[in-house]
Structures are given as structure tokens and as C-alpha cells.
């Protein structure tokens, strides 16, 4: 019974985060207005607006990516610790020990270390992925 409750709680949290964090278009509804970065060209033959060609490739701001990924992973770690305390049979602590060096279940120092290492993993991804994405989007744009 506890495992069903665990999965329903995780699924509900995921739906709420996707709906309110990413917007209505993730849930199958299109936005009511056009995004500001996609200006529309004059209407085509069928009365449909065609997006104008973007003159430069999209670039990822690495600092914003690092902050958002670091915070995302830290909040995910905190949520997982909370789930492990609520549902000890489904605990992931055995998985974290090899992934988070120095992490031991569960003390305040270990918890803080886990949060800091989660933020560091987010920055690692941002510092590798962001510049690579920016390079390849510029190279493929011409």
C-alpha cells in the first residue's frame, strides 16, 4: 500500500511541477499569445502566420543555466530525502552513497554536503553543456 501511495505522490508532484513550472503548453494546451522571441511574418495564403527567420542562433546563458540546474538538483535532493523519511522502504540512500562522496545517511552535516554536491553537479552540467550547445548552434547556423 505504501508503494502505491509513494508513486501517486511522486506522479502528482511531477504533474504540478510541469504544469506550473513549464506552462500550459506542456499539458497539451497552446499558449494564448505568441512568444516575444518569435516575431510573425505577414499572413500567408491560408491566413496562417509564418514565423520570421531568426537572424542569429539561440544561445544559452551559462550562468543562468548553472543557477537553475544547481537549484533544481538541490531541491530534488531535498525532496528525495523527505520522501525517504516518509517512505523508508523505498529509500534511495544506498544509491546516493556512491554518487555523493562523503554522504552518510543522515546527519545535518551529511545533508548539507549532499545539497552542496547536488549544486556542484548542476554547475558541472551547465559548464560543459552550455558552451557546447552555444558552439554547435553557432556552427550549424552558418
Amino acid at each position: 500500500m505504501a508503494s502505491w501511495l509513494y508513486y501517486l505522490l511522486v506522479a502528482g508532484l511531477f504533474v504540478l511541477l510541469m504544469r506550473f513550472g513549464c506552462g500550459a503548453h506542456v499539458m497539451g494546451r497552446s499558449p494564448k499569445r505568441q512568444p516575444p522571441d518569435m516575431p510573425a511574418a505577414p499572413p500567408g495564403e491560408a491566413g496562417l502566420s509564418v514565423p520570421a527567420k531568426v537572424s542569429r542562433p539561440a544561445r544559452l546563458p551559462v550562468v543562468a543555466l548553472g543557477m537553475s540546474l544547481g537549484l533544481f538538483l538541490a531541491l530534488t535532493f531535498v525532496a528525495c530525502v523527505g520522501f525517504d523519511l516518509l517512505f523508508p522502504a523505498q529509500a534511495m540512500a544506498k544509491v546516493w552513497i556512491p554518487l555523493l562522496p562523503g554522504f552518510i545517511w543522515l546527519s545535518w552535516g551529511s545533508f548539507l554536503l549532499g545539497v552542496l554536491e547536488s549544486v556542484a553537479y548542476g554547475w558541472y552540467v551547465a559548464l560543459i553543456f552550455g558552451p557546447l550547445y552555444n558552439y554547435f548552434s553557432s556552427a550549424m547556423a552558418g
Side-chain angles (χ1 to χ4, degrees), residues 25-139:
H25 62 280
V26 172
M27 301 301 290
R29 296 179 202 87
S30 61
K32 302 226 185 289
R33 61 182 178 83
Q34 194 167 5
D37 60 339
M38 293 289 293
E45 293 176 14
L48 301 174
S49 62
V50 180
K53 184 172 180 170
V54 179
S55 61
R56 61 183 172 90
R59 299 189 56 81
L60 283 175
V62 176
V63 173
L65 183 64
M67 295 293 286
S68 59
L69 282 174
L71 184 60
F72 167 74
L73 290 178
L75 290 174
T76 301
F77 175 77
V78 170
C80 286
V81 168
F83 280 126
D84 283 2
L85 292 173
L86 289 173
F87 304 101
Q90 310 291 332
M92 292 183 51
K94 293 177 184 173
V95 175
W96 294 335
I97 291 172
L99 293 175
L100 301 171
F103 179 79
I104 301 169
W105 183 259
L106 183 67
S107 66
W108 284 108
S110 180
F111 176 76
L112 183 61
L113 179 65
V115 169
L116 293 175
E117 287 177 341
S118 297
V119 170
Y121 278 132
W123 272 98
Y124 169 76
V125 171
L127 291 173
I128 301 299
F129 178 76
L132 285 173
Y133 176 84
N134 290 339
Y135 170 78
F136 285 112
S137 68
S138 295

